Amino acid sequence: MTAAVKKAVVTGHPVAHSRSPLIHGYWLKKFGVDGEYGCLDVAPEDADRFFRDFSESGLTGANVTVPHKEIAAAACGWLDEAAKVMGAVNTIWLDDDGRLCGANTDWTGFLGNLDQRASGWDDDAGTAIVLGAGGAARAIVFALLSRKFKAVHIVNRTPGKASRIAEEFGPRTFAHSWDNLGTLLEEADLLVNTTSLGMTSKPSLEIDLSSLPESALVTDAVYVPLQTGLLKQADQRGNRTVDGLGMLLHQAVPGFERWFGVRPEVDDDLRALIVRDLGGAT
Ligand code: NAP
C-alpha cells in the first residue's frame, strides 16, 4: 500500500495573488518531496466551518492568510506561544490525533530575514521604532522582545491600537502618535515599517529621516515593490537596509518542515524566483 501524497494549501480570500505556492513548489522540487501545495480560496462566511472541519479536508496542513488568521486560530485545539499572544495563525496542521494545531511564524520570518541579510543586527538590541500597529507589527514587536530589545516604540496613525499592543507586551514597549516620530528617530538602532504605506497601489510613506542615526538599520515589511520609498531614502543617506521579501520566505520554513518532513533553506535561487515573479521589482 502506498502512503497518500501529502497536500497543503494557502487559504485566504482572495488568495490567487499569494506567492506561497511558488515558494513551497520550489522546495518540493528541490528536495524531491512527493507532495503538493496549492491555493484554496475560502469565502469568509465558510471559513469557520472550513477550519473546524479541517480533518475532513484531506489536507495535511495549510498556510492561512488575510482575512482568516484569527478565525483559524479560534478553531485550533492547540496553539504555539506566538499564536496565543497574537490570536492569529498563519500555519496549521493536524496532529496524530487529528487535532488542528496552529502556529504564527511571521515573527520567526522577520528574525530569519534580518539574521540572514544583516548579520549582527541585534548585537546591541537597543531601541527599535515600529511604524504601524496591525498584524505584522504585533509579530515584529514579539520578535524584537524575544531578542531582548531594550525599548520598542510603536508609532501608529490610530494611537489606541499602538497603546493596546504596548499594554499587552509590557514595560519595554511604548505607544506614540506620528507627531513624536522625529524625536524618537534620534535614538533608533532599528526602524521597521509595518504599515501598508509604500506598497504598490497604496499611498507612499512620507517620512523625514534626517534625525535617524546613520548607524541605524532600516527594514520594511512591504515587499511589493521590493525597494520601497523608505528603503531608497534610507539607502541614499547611508543606512543599512533590508527588504521585506526575506520575511515572507522565512515564515514559510516551519510549515514546509511540519507538513513534508524536511527543513528547507531560504537560498539565493528561491529569492531570485520570487523576485522574477514580482516583476523584477528592485
Ligand atoms: P493591517 O493589520 O491591516 O495593519 C495596517 C497598518 O497600516 C495599520 O497600522 C494602519 O494604521 C497602517 N496604515 C494603513 N493605511 C495607513 C495610512 N494611510 N496612513 C497611516 N497608516 C496607515 O496589515 P498587516 O497585516 O499588519 O500588514 C501590513 C503590511 O505588512 C502589508 O503591506 C503587508 O503586505 C505587509 N506584510 C508583510 C509580511 C512579509 O512577510 N513581508 C508579513 C505580513 C505583512 P491604523 O491602525 O491607523 O489603521
Side-chain angles (χ1 to χ4, degrees), residues 227-249:
Q227 185 74 352
T228 60
L230 170 66
L231 296 182
K232 270 188 205 149
Q233 198 187 333
D235 199 38
Q236 275 160 11
R237 63 191 297 284
N239 291 94
R240 193 155 63 136
T241 61
V242 176
D243 66 59
L245 177 57
M247 179 174 170
L248 175 76
L249 303 179

Side-chain angles (χ1 to χ4, degrees), residues 155-173:
V155 178
N156 198 44
R157 172 180 63 177
T158 312
K161 277 170 74 180
S163 302
R164 276 200 291 285
I165 298 184
E167 277 159 26
E168 241 174 82
F169 283 88
R172 286 182 287 146
T173 52

Side-chain angles (χ1 to χ4, degrees), residues 247-267:
M247 179 174 170
L248 175 76
L249 303 179
H250 283 274
Q251 64 76 33
V253 168
F256 189 90
E257 181 179 22
R258 178 76 66 181
W259 310 317
F260 301 119
V262 181
R263 186 161 181 89
E265 299 133 25
V266 173
D267 61 20

